[in-house]
Amino acid sequence: MPLLARSVLTPLHIDVRRGAVADLGTILADGRISTGGDVAVVVGPGQGEKVVDLVRPSLRSADVFTVCGGTLDAADDLGAKLRARSYDAVVGIGGGKTIDVAKYAATRRGLPMVSVATSLANDGIASPVASLITDGIKGSYGVHIPIAVIVDVDFVEAGPERRNRAGIGDVVSNISALADWELAREVRGEPFDGLAASLSRAGAEAVLNHPGDMGDDAFVTVLAEALISSGLAMAIEGTSRPSSGGCHEIMHAIDALYPGTASHGELAGLGALFCTFLRGDQRRFTEMSACLARHGLPRLPADVGLTDEQFVEAVQFAPATRPDRYTILEHLAMSPTETRERLADYADALHDHVG
């Protein structure tokens, strides 16, 4: 992956609470974001439209654009529409696909972007990466991080629970991604940024050890803050290294080979647990397995509708999704037979372990 945009390392405003979107107009009035209220509001189908209706009185000078699909074509089309007039900022309201389209289009137009998240499916709400589909394949594109991030707990809890739970898998996968980064430092002398690693690790540990669930405001707040911290870690490092390792290689491989299998966060959590097993870190494996089980997230290929053979194929293909990245998968360089054997051992370990 190319280096990400590093010009803005910290959002001017981060707000995670109930009723947060009610203050959107006040946030946009900040002269560092918009001087005259001329903003482009980007929404997807669903709750984003409800947010716009709620805050419309404070967005009188705004133009509203509806996007869907999370594709590169949709982002390019939005970018073309943004050239129609002069905007102070772009406001993306909705889930991950909508926010990624808005981030990409805003970056290409050189405009600041405000992220208003209505779900917690992954760390894209504040990351310097836009995941967009082109020719049926999801690719990652470097973008500027949002200049402000707003998460309204009311809207999050009103959304699909499975989508929000997926964000837990994405955050927990940071534990595995950081272990891969440390491995690359030891084996290849790869630079390692302690601040970025600390931000990524702190959020992951907080979610990993929190006893609550998605019905608990305190847990939802911790999850939202962890996803934001993950995005900031990537911005500080300038790559996705603090939050993406073998776990995400497996996720991208499954997306490429078996599109529509499961969500980003669900697959990242599954990949992270398998990579942690391969690493032989029993303590982390136990912690992560218990966390994923507690939140009803997949731990076996069958949990996402894959056969063992399909998962083996994905693991074999995974390193090709990030040729520049060194993880436990590249380190072990397992053959298909070895991968099959390790997957059987992994399934036995989960069966033996009360999650």
Side-chain angles (χ1 to χ4, degrees), residues 174-238:
N174 287 5
I175 298 291
S176 179
L178 290 170
D180 280 335
W181 195 9
E182 290 170 345
L183 176 65
R185 175 176 60 175
E186 294 169 5
V187 175
R188 299 202 310 183
E190 185 173 316
F192 186 90
D193 189 302
L195 177 57
S198 294
L199 272 173
S200 177
R201 194 185 312 280
E205 295 281 7
V207 170
L208 192 67
N209 296 302
H210 199 290
D213 56 27
M214 293 307 300
D216 176 0
D217 280 11
F219 178 78
V220 173
T221 300
V222 166
L223 175 59
E225 291 173 346
L227 291 169
I228 293 169
S229 293
S230 184
L232 294 182
M234 287 187 271
I236 289 170
E237 167 56 21

Side-chain angles (χ1 to χ4, degrees), residues 255-310:
D255 269 347
L257 296 173
Y258 307 105
T261 298
S263 68
H264 174 115
E266 289 172 326
L267 295 178
L270 170 60
L273 189 60
F274 183 65
C275 286
T276 301
F277 175 79
L278 294 178
R279 211 174 282 111
D281 189 338
Q282 184 60 46
R283 180 179 69 85
R284 283 300 193 189
F285 177 74
T286 300
E287 291 176 344
M288 292 171 64
S289 176
C291 178
L292 295 179
R294 185 168 66 252
H295 293 289
L297 289 164
R299 295 183 295 166
L300 287 166
D303 295 338
V304 294
L306 294 177
T307 66
D308 285 356
E309 200 56 41
Q310 288 173 325

Side-chain angles (χ1 to χ4, degrees), residues 44-239:
Q47 290 203 91
E49 295 172 346
K50 296 179 182 178
V51 175
V52 170
D53 289 340
L54 179 64
V55 300
R56 190 174 294 277
S58 61
L59 299 176
R60 293 187 181 89
S61 300
D63 290 333
V64 178
F65 301 97
T66 300
V67 299
C68 60
T71 65
L72 183 60
D73 285 343
D76 285 335
D77 181 60
L78 175 61
K81 292 176 180 176
L82 294 179
R83 288 195 289 271
R85 60 175 280 205
S86 178
Y87 294 104
D88 294 329
V90 175
V91 183
I93 304 176
K97 291 179 181 179
T98 301
I99 288 175
D100 280 350
V101 167
K103 283 194 296 186
Y104 182 92
T107 298
R108 295 303 178 268
R109 290 293 297 147
L111 295 170
M113 184 267 182
V114 175
S115 173
V116 183
T118 59
S119 74
L120 299 177
N122 57 63
D123 58 17
I125 61 176
S127 77
V129 178
S131 296
L132 300 170
I133 299 171
T134 178
D135 296 327
I137 299 174
K138 184 177 290 186
S140 298
Y141 301 86
V143 295
H144 292 294
I145 67 169
I147 199 168
V149 182
I150 300 168
V151 180
D152 193 315
V153 175
D154 288 322
F155 281 92
V156 169
E157 292 187 351
E161 183 181 352
R162 179 181 176 185
R163 183 185 303 167
N164 290 319
R165 280 191 288 113
I168 299 168
D170 200 26
V171 166
V172 169
S173 76
N174 287 5
I175 298 291
S176 179
L178 290 170
D180 280 335
W181 195 9
E182 290 170 345
L183 176 65
R185 175 176 60 175
E186 294 169 5
V187 175
R188 299 202 310 183
E190 185 173 316
F192 186 90
D193 189 302
L195 177 57
S198 294
L199 272 173
S200 177
R201 194 185 312 280
E205 295 281 7
V207 170
L208 192 67
N209 296 302
H210 199 290
D213 56 27
M214 293 307 300
D216 176 0
D217 280 11
F219 178 78
V220 173
T221 300
V222 166
L223 175 59
E225 291 173 346
L227 291 169
I228 293 169
S229 293
S230 184
L232 294 182
M234 287 187 271
I236 289 170
E237 167 56 21
T239 74

